[in-house]
Amino acid sequence: MNKDTNRIIRIICPLWVLLSLGLMFYSLEKLTPSGYLQDLSLIKIQGLSVNLLYGTGIGLLYIAVGIILFNRHSNWRKSMEFLVGKGLTKGNVGRLVIMSLTASIWEEGYTRGFVLVLFPKNYSGVILIAFILNSLWALSHLLNNQDDLADSFTRTFKQATPHMIIIFLSGIPWYFITFATGSLIPAIVSHFLLDFGIGIFYRKQLINENFYA
């Protein structure tokens, strides 16, 4: 293990956690008006229902794409398993629900949510900021493999790249739906369904493969 690289990772990881959490809380506070839950009118409930439906539909579409990639692209599957496989199989289904919900709120808060706060009506600088945040979001998944990064950054980055590309691409539609609806709910719901649905699928896939091995 490279001690210098390991030291850098140990510095970057908590800094990134603090930064991303700060952006998430800032975004969610700005996007949630005071007294919102005490003033749920029929119009607000209807809007919430529509956003939930959008999120569910997009989430199911993402799951379908993920399953297709899993079954047809072995290089992407290996990359996905390397980068997030341990997280998808850790603990029981309840833990998977909590992890998926936490990831969806946290990650959507500091990416799509922060951009929505900064550019609610002004789109002039949104592309650059969205690109930077989306790239940081994709790269942050490398921190799931800190030991591998410390051993060899180049090898770890190369192995993780196919899945990081998919992560980056998956974030783009979430920006569009967030701006189209003016709400973070569709992105959070679909992100949760994607993580949870692929987690369940991957667990069952491993069980089947071990059974027929």
Side-chain angles (χ1 to χ4, degrees):
M1 179 178 292
N2 188 309
K3 292 183 179 180
D4 291 334
T5 305
N6 188 48
R7 190 178 298 112
I8 293 172
I9 293 170
R10 290 182 180 277
I11 294 173
I12 291 176
C13 187
L15 288 177
W16 171 248
V17 170
L18 290 174
L19 174 62
S20 58
L21 279 175
L23 292 177
M24 179 203 73
F25 283 119
Y26 174 79
S27 302
L28 295 181
E29 190 274 332
K30 291 294 184 181
L31 293 172
T32 307
S34 178
Y36 179 81
L37 294 178
Q38 286 75 33
D39 185 30
L40 283 178
S41 62
L42 178 60
I43 294 177
K44 287 183 178 179
I45 293 175
Q46 289 175 336
L48 177 62
S49 300
V50 171
N51 286 331
L52 289 173
L53 286 175
Y54 281 146
T56 301
I58 295 169
L60 293 176
L61 178 61
Y62 270 42
I63 292 172
V65 173
I67 292 174
I68 292 172
L69 286 172
F70 187 91
N71 289 327
R72 296 187 180 182
H73 297 277
S74 59
N75 287 338
W76 174 79
R77 172 178 174 171
K78 292 176 182 177
S79 179
M80 184 276 290
E81 290 176 321
F82 172 73
L83 200 57
V84 298
K86 292 179 182 178
L88 292 177
T89 56
K90 185 182 297 183
N92 56 24
V93 174
R95 182 185 176 93
L96 180 62
V97 170
I98 295 173
M99 290 178 60
S100 300
L101 184 60
T102 301
S104 62
I105 296 174
W106 184 355
E107 295 175 5
E108 293 307 315
Y110 76 76
T111 53
R112 268 60 69 175
F114 186 62
V115 172
L116 186 60
V117 169
L118 290 182
F119 304 96
K121 295 181 180 180
N122 178 14
Y123 297 91
S124 60
V126 69
I127 294 178
L128 177 60
I129 299 298
F131 177 82
I132 292 173
L133 287 173
N134 214 40
S135 299
L136 290 174
W137 169 56
L139 290 169
S140 70
H141 289 76
L142 285 169
L143 297 176
N144 294 333
N145 298 62
Q146 294 182 33
D147 291 339
D148 294 302
L149 279 174
D151 287 335
S152 175
F153 176 86
T154 302
R155 184 176 65 246
T156 302
F157 188 87
K158 183 178 180 180
Q159 194 166 352
T161 293
H163 188 47
M164 287 195 298
I165 291 174
I166 294 299
I167 291 173
F168 180 88
L169 293 176
S170 70
I172 297 174
W174 280 330
Y175 279 106
F176 281 103
I177 191 66
T178 298
F179 277 106
T181 61
S183 171
L184 200 56
I185 291 175
I188 290 176
V189 171
S190 55
H191 193 150
F192 165 76
L193 289 175
L194 173 63
D195 287 0
F196 179 72
I198 291 298
I200 293 296
F201 168 78
Y202 183 54
R203 292 177 182 216
K204 290 185 176 181
Q205 195 73 17
L206 291 180
I207 292 173
N208 291 336
E209 290 176 357
N210 291 331
F211 180 79
Y212 291 108

